[in-house]
Tab-separated table of all heavy atoms in Angstrom:
chain	number	residue	atom	x	y	z
A	24	SER	N	-30.021	-19.807	-14.971
A	24	SER	CA	-30.172	-21.225	-15.366
A	24	SER	C	-29.937	-22.175	-14.178
A	24	SER	O	-30.335	-23.297	-14.172
A	24	SER	CB	-29.196	-21.569	-16.529
A	24	SER	OG	-27.847	-21.218	-16.244
A	97	ILE	N	18.107	-6.750	-11.535
A	97	ILE	CA	17.659	-7.776	-10.542
A	97	ILE	C	17.728	-9.167	-11.218
A	97	ILE	O	17.029	-9.377	-12.209
A	97	ILE	CB	16.179	-7.453	-10.156
A	97	ILE	CG1	16.102	-6.119	-9.335
A	97	ILE	CG2	15.592	-8.564	-9.379
A	97	ILE	CD1	14.721	-5.645	-9.001
A	168	LEU	N	7.208	1.878	-12.877
A	168	LEU	CA	8.075	0.638	-13.031
A	168	LEU	C	8.885	0.794	-14.380
A	168	LEU	O	10.106	0.551	-14.340
A	168	LEU	CB	7.179	-0.613	-13.033
A	168	LEU	CG	7.908	-1.933	-13.353
A	168	LEU	CD1	8.791	-2.234	-12.125
A	168	LEU	CD2	6.898	-3.018	-13.540
A	190	VAL	N	10.512	-11.906	-11.512
A	190	VAL	CA	11.669	-11.772	-10.658
A	190	VAL	C	12.056	-13.210	-10.213
A	190	VAL	O	13.250	-13.525	-10.118
A	190	VAL	CB	11.371	-10.889	-9.465
A	190	VAL	CG1	12.480	-11.050	-8.396
A	190	VAL	CG2	11.184	-9.465	-9.921
A	204	ARG	N	5.582	-28.753	-1.366
A	204	ARG	CA	6.100	-28.624	-0.023
A	204	ARG	C	5.042	-28.128	0.966
A	204	ARG	O	5.094	-28.508	2.185
A	204	ARG	CB	7.293	-27.615	0.034
A	204	ARG	CG	8.571	-28.088	-0.670
A	204	ARG	CD	9.713	-27.160	-0.412
A	204	ARG	NE	9.533	-25.918	-1.092
A	204	ARG	CZ	9.854	-25.650	-2.368
A	204	ARG	NH1	10.223	-26.624	-3.124
A	204	ARG	NH2	9.735	-24.420	-2.854
A	253	ARG	N	-2.081	-28.640	-14.170
A	253	ARG	CA	-0.937	-29.516	-14.048
A	253	ARG	C	-0.200	-29.494	-12.687
A	253	ARG	O	0.652	-30.351	-12.391
A	253	ARG	CB	0.082	-29.174	-15.223
A	253	ARG	CG	0.801	-27.835	-15.116
A	253	ARG	CD	1.667	-27.774	-16.361
A	253	ARG	NE	2.383	-26.468	-16.461
A	253	ARG	CZ	3.604	-26.333	-15.996
A	253	ARG	NH1	4.218	-27.365	-15.497
A	253	ARG	NH2	4.276	-25.162	-16.089
A	254	ILE	N	-0.565	-28.524	-11.857
A	254	ILE	CA	-0.017	-28.466	-10.545
A	254	ILE	C	-0.955	-29.103	-9.482
A	254	ILE	O	-0.553	-29.961	-8.644
A	254	ILE	CB	0.226	-27.022	-10.108
A	254	ILE	CG1	1.308	-26.437	-11.022
A	254	ILE	CG2	0.731	-26.955	-8.654
A	254	ILE	CD1	1.664	-24.974	-10.670
A	262	TYR	N	-14.290	-26.192	-3.903
A	262	TYR	CA	-15.129	-25.590	-2.917
A	262	TYR	C	-15.096	-26.410	-1.668
A	262	TYR	O	-14.810	-27.524	-1.606
A	262	TYR	CB	-16.558	-25.341	-3.418
A	262	TYR	CG	-16.759	-24.336	-4.598
A	262	TYR	CD1	-17.916	-24.336	-5.305
A	262	TYR	CD2	-15.719	-23.518	-5.004
A	262	TYR	CE1	-18.094	-23.505	-6.397
A	262	TYR	CE2	-15.899	-22.653	-6.106
A	262	TYR	CZ	-17.073	-22.704	-6.765
A	262	TYR	OH	-17.263	-21.785	-7.879
Side-chain angles (χ1 to χ4, degrees):
S24 54
I97 293 173
L168 177 66
V190 171
R204 289 189 293 277
R253 66 186 180 91
I254 298 178
Y262 293 167

